[in-house]
Amino acid sequence: MKLFLSIFLMLQLSICFSQTYYGQIVNKENDSTNVQILIKGNMIFKNNKILSIQEKITVIDKGVSKDYYPADLKSFKINMGKEIKTYDNVDNTIFAERFYSNKLKLYYKLVREETKQSPYFTIYRVFLIKKPNQEGITKLIPNGFSRLITKSEMISKITDCEILLNKIKNDEIKITNEKKLVEFMVDYEKNCFN
């Protein structure tokens, strides 16, 4: 009984636990404000932190807390300990982590889907490509073993750049990790968006 009670109390503490991080918000008028960002709820796992700040952030500025949704801000930075991450408003619907930003934009987000089997949800990663002067977003879903993004996924999504499409088909480009994906974005932009 003591073991059960101890486990129950630890779970309750982790659910009620919240963490505060230093950060900076940029509003729609490009004004920057240094703030503290409060992440509420069960923050034991990294994915929970990411999922919680994709929909809204709670900001503490001069002792007052306020919730901001993607439509309220242009972007925000958060100091997550060892690194500072930047999240941008993507189409006023979600905050996504910025991996590359120039003419082309590359973002990273997590998606949580409900399932009928235990644990009754799955979480998977998605990379978003936003192209200049184009509506909508191209979604790249990492699902390869030896590659982050498979050859078939790249061929089906990168249809507007024949130079790179041929390189992908000839196996000259292999996206094995996030660094290679950013290098690909630089190449994509240089070859097809200049």
Side-chain angles (χ1 to χ4, degrees):
M1 185 67 172
K2 287 182 182 180
L3 178 63
F4 177 76
L5 186 57
S6 297
I7 292 171
F8 178 75
L9 287 174
M10 284 178 56
L11 286 173
Q12 285 296 352
L13 285 174
S14 68
I15 289 171
C16 299
F17 191 73
S18 61
Q19 294 175 322
T20 304
Y21 298 90
Y22 290 102
Q24 183 180 64
I25 59 172
V26 179
N27 66 17
K28 295 287 189 164
E29 292 76 35
N30 277 338
D31 297 326
S32 299
T33 307
N34 292 327
V35 296
Q36 288 184 311
I37 298 172
L38 180 68
I39 300 178
K40 300 176 183 176
N42 183 357
M43 295 301 124
I44 294 173
F45 301 107
K46 180 182 175 185
N47 287 349
N48 290 340
K49 288 181 183 181
I50 294 170
L51 286 167
S52 72
I53 59 179
Q54 286 182 163
E55 296 176 7
K56 73 170 182 172
I57 60 169
T58 302
V59 168
I60 301 171
D61 185 25
K62 299 174 187 162
V64 178
S65 70
K66 181 178 179 183
D67 289 339
Y68 287 96
Y69 296 89
D72 301 327
L73 297 175
K74 189 173 184 180
S75 67
F76 70 90
K77 291 182 182 180
I78 185 168
N79 185 340
M80 299 291 271
K82 295 178 183 173
E83 57 190 338
I84 296 173
K85 296 188 178 228
T86 301
Y87 285 79
D88 290 334
N89 164 354
V90 178
D91 292 340
N92 287 332
T93 59
I94 194 167
F95 289 120
E97 184 180 349
R98 181 192 307 162
F99 269 46
Y100 179 77
S101 180
N102 203 4
K103 289 179 184 176
L104 287 177
K105 313 261 188 258
L106 176 67
Y107 300 109
Y108 169 81
K109 75 172 189 169
L110 292 177
V111 175
R112 179 184 167 139
E113 281 188 357
E114 303 297 322
T115 63
K116 294 183 180 184
Q117 295 178 334
S118 180
Y120 303 108
F121 67 90
T122 60
I123 297 174
Y124 61 91
R125 304 178 296 165
V126 176
F127 291 95
L128 309 171
I129 300 173
K130 187 149 177 72
K131 301 171 188 174
N133 304 322
Q134 184 175 351
E135 290 292 319
I137 291 177
T138 302
K139 295 179 182 180
L140 295 174
I141 299 173
N143 56 4
F145 290 109
S146 62
R147 298 178 189 204
L148 179 67
I149 310 291
T150 63
K151 182 177 176 179
S152 61
E153 177 80 357
M154 294 295 286
I155 289 171
S156 68
K157 304 292 174 71
I158 311 299
T159 58
D160 57 350
C161 186
E162 193 162 337
I163 295 168
L164 290 182
L165 190 58
N166 289 332
K167 285 183 178 181
I168 293 166
K169 287 178 181 176
N170 295 330
D171 231 11
E172 296 173 41
I173 295 176
K174 296 178 183 177
I175 309 295
T176 55
N177 56 37
E178 293 166 351
K179 182 181 175 190
K180 295 279 187 191
L181 182 58
V182 172
E183 290 171 4
F184 172 78
M185 292 301 295
V186 172
D187 206 23
Y188 190 15
E189 185 174 75
K190 182 176 74 176
N191 284 306
C192 300
F193 291 95
N194 274 335

